[in-house]
Each structure stands twice: as C-alpha cells, then as structure tokens.
Amino acid sequence: MARTVVIEKTGGPEVLQVVEREVGAPGPGEVRIRHAACGLNFIDVYQRTGLYPLTLPHALGMEAAGVIEAVGDGVTHLRPGDRAAYAAIPPGAYAEARVMPAAQVCPLPEGISFEDAASIMLQGMTVEYLFHRVWPLEKGQTVLFHAAAGGVGLLACQWARSEGIRLIGTAGTDEKCALAVENGADICLNYRSGDFVEEVKALTGGAGVDVVMDGVGQDTFERSLDCLKPLGMMISFGNASGPVPPVSLLTLAAKGSLKLTRTTLFTFLADHARCQAMARHLFDKVESGVVRPNIGRRYPLEQIAEAHRALEARATTGSTVITL
C-alpha cells in the first residue's frame, strides 16, 4: 500500500484526497519506483481544475525522484536499487510508490539529491527544450521570459547565463525581480509598476527581442507579441493566468511576420532516446554547477492542498517539493 493523492472530481484544492492504494508489480516495459520526493507544477493545477481533462478518479503529480524497486520485462536502462527521477505521463507522482512506464524514467547521478531532482525534472527539461529544441537560441540573442522568478524562470535565468544568452525577465514584485537577476537575468521588469512592452523596446533600442517564452498565458500573451522583432518567435508553454484566446494569423503578419507555437514538454519526452538525452543535458548542467536547483518551499504529502493554494496565489518562488 502507498499513500497517494487522487481527485474524484475537478475543483479547488479541497478536492485533493490522500488515500491508501495498492501498488502492485510492474508489467512489461514498466518499473515500480519508491519515491523520496515529488515536485509541484502548474500542470497539476490545470489537471485538478479540469483545464486539462483527466478520466476520473485519477492520481495527480507529474515528477518525482526515488529508488527503483522492480522492473518489468524489456526494461534495460534501469535495475532494482537504481536512483531515478522523471517528469512523465500519466499523472500519479504524488505517491509514496507507483508502477509506471519505464521509458521516461531516467537514471539519477549520485551527486544530485532526490529533493533537488524532484524539483527540477519537469521545470529543467522544460528549459532544455525551450532553449535547444523549439527555437535553438544562439549566444548573444535576447529572450523575454515571463514569470522569471518562478521555478521554470529561475532555471531559465541560470541556463541563459551559462549559454551567453541575454534574458529579460518579468515578475510581479521588486523582490522577485531581484531574485531573477541574482540567478542570471540581464534585467527583470516589475510588470505591476511599468509597461513591459515599452521597457523591452527601450532595452533593445526599439528592435524587440528574438524570442518570447511565456508560461503565463492570457495576461501577457497579446502584449508579448509587441515585444518581438520582425520574424521573431513567440513560444507559449503555459496558462498560469488562464488560456490564451484565439489568435488571428493576420495579427502575426501585421506585427512583423511573427512565428507562434504552443508547446508541451511531454511531446518532446515521448521519444525515449530524446527524453534520456534531455535529462542527461539537465543533469550535466546541475553537476557542473551552472544550474542550481532552487527549492523555495517544502510541504508534507498531507499538506498538498495548502501547497496548491500557495502556487495558485503566486506566493512561491523557485520550486516547491512535496516530501514523503
């Protein structure tokens, strides 16, 4: 039996339930993993509220780290006793242990703690694909990154610094802006005290940025298009403020032949070899010290509802870890 967080209906944090569930044995292509820690992400909120529908009842949680207890037939990259971490579908990481597909579970180097791994798998591999696979950024280019003091944002600031990329961030308080700069942002704009479009244009000599990376969604999307230089790329990868309304292709033409994509991490992770390569790239960054996990808060599994409330209120910085 393993304590597991499930929802039987969509709604607010109050629908999260901690129950005891049978774990069972792994089948072909599966592993059973005993978790030491798991991560908290906005996708968990989207699933809980029904924005990203699940067949209910369903367990929640998309990333965790721990020790492999058993492997099914055909699994060759992991063995019992191995340290491992993942960000993967299906949801179910808010649990003491689970059986899951093995392809997206990654061997974890000894030098990275379980808590650090649980805090960076989803967010760190998000940064990896944003910087290297959607629109590979080159040294000297400029990116506008919204929510730069959040879990993904702080890792993006560090990653940009390590690659020689100029990152202009946005955040909602001066304290969060200072944290983003401390982590590698060239500058961070407080969107509550100024017009980030005007400020971005001033910072780029009127040219605009090469790429916008936006996990906020509704509140920032339209103005973000005005921050791009002609032929620039708009990458929408989240909906923290709500989903983006429909967009006219003519708007993209009028604003300078802009490119637009709406990405999801799990499309990139679906391929086993690519998933393992992305994780290895992330682990290399962490082990070299150029990317440092930033755990802002820890909650025991029994306080999962409180953790969700803090995330939705934007009261967190860095990553939040759920301890088991």
Side-chain angles (χ1 to χ4, degrees):
M1 302 292 285
R3 290 180 301 151
T4 304
V5 175
V6 301
I7 58 170
E8 296 181 347
K9 61 182 180 180
T10 58
E14 69 278 358
V15 303
L16 297 163
Q17 304 177 55
V18 180
V19 302
E20 293 279 349
R21 272 191 165 187
E22 290 283 353
V23 179
E30 294 181 331
V31 296
R32 185 173 72 233
I33 182 170
R34 175 71 52 178
H35 293 150
C38 55
L40 176 71
N41 298 280
F42 260 103
I43 189 172
D44 308 343
V45 175
Y46 305 155
Q47 291 167 347
R48 191 204 74 221
T49 61
L51 180 63
Y52 291 179
L54 297 173
T55 300
L56 301 179
H58 210 295
L60 288 188
M62 302 299 293
E63 68 177 340
V67 176
I68 300 298
E69 291 189 324
V71 301
D73 291 342
V75 177
T76 58
H77 70 293
L78 294 165
R79 297 177 298 178
D82 283 353
R83 304 172 80 252
Y86 66 87
I89 52 177
Y94 295 169
E96 291 177 312
R98 69 181 295 198
V99 169
M100 64 180 296
Q104 282 67 49
V105 182
C106 307
L108 178 65
E110 288 289 341
I112 302 177
S113 73
F114 290 129
E115 283 197 1
D116 281 349
S119 77
I120 62 169
M121 289 301 291
L122 191 147
Q123 296 169 350
M125 288 199 290
T126 295
V127 175
E128 203 276 350
Y129 90 75
L130 289 173
F131 277 55
H132 297 280
R133 299 176 191 273
V134 181
W135 183 259
L137 287 165
E138 299 175 1
K139 184 176 182 179
Q141 289 188 316
T142 301
V143 58
L144 173 64
F145 204 101
H146 291 299
V152 178
L154 291 180
L155 293 176
C157 291
Q158 296 176 42
W159 205 294
R161 179 168 56 191
S162 76
E163 300 278 345
I165 293 162
R166 184 189 188 197
L167 187 145
I168 300 171
T170 69
T173 68
D174 291 342
E175 291 76 16
K176 287 185 176 183
C177 285
L179 184 60
V181 171
E182 179 183 332
N183 277 267
D186 185 75
I187 191 169
C188 188
L189 309 173
N190 186 334
Y191 63 82
R192 297 186 192 278
S193 61
D195 184 333
F196 71 77
V197 177
E198 291 182 0
E199 292 177 285
V200 166
K201 288 295 182 70
L203 288 167
T204 58
V209 300
D210 298 284
V211 182
V212 175
M213 298 179 180
D214 184 10
V216 175
Q218 187 177 75
D219 289 354
T220 51
F221 179 83
E222 188 171 347
R223 289 183 296 158
S224 292
L225 297 178
D226 293 326
C227 294
L228 285 164
K229 63 175 57 173
L231 307 182
M233 167 62 85
M234 174 72 190
I235 305 173
S236 176
F237 67 95
N239 325 280
S241 66
V244 174
V247 181
S248 169
L249 291 178
L250 292 178
T251 298
L252 303 179
K255 291 182 181 294
S257 300
L258 303 180
K259 305 173 187 70
L260 168 63
T261 185
R262 176 59 170 90
T263 59
T264 69
L265 170 64
F266 300 105
T267 306
F268 289 86
L269 298 184
D271 178 82
H272 169 72
R274 183 168 54 220
C275 172
Q276 299 296 320
M278 290 170 65
R280 185 66 254 176
H281 192 182
L282 171 61
F283 295 153
D284 287 346
K285 289 280 190 183
V286 174
E287 290 188 300
S288 70
V290 298
V291 168
R292 295 172 288 102
N294 187 315
I295 300 174
R297 296 192 183 192
R298 292 172 174 84
Y299 294 87
L301 190 67
E302 288 75 16
Q303 294 179 14
I304 188 65
E306 183 180 340
H308 271 237
R309 291 187 184 98
L311 183 66
E312 288 182 277
R314 302 191 190 182
T316 63
T317 57
S319 302
T320 297
V321 167
I322 308 302
T323 58
L324 298 162

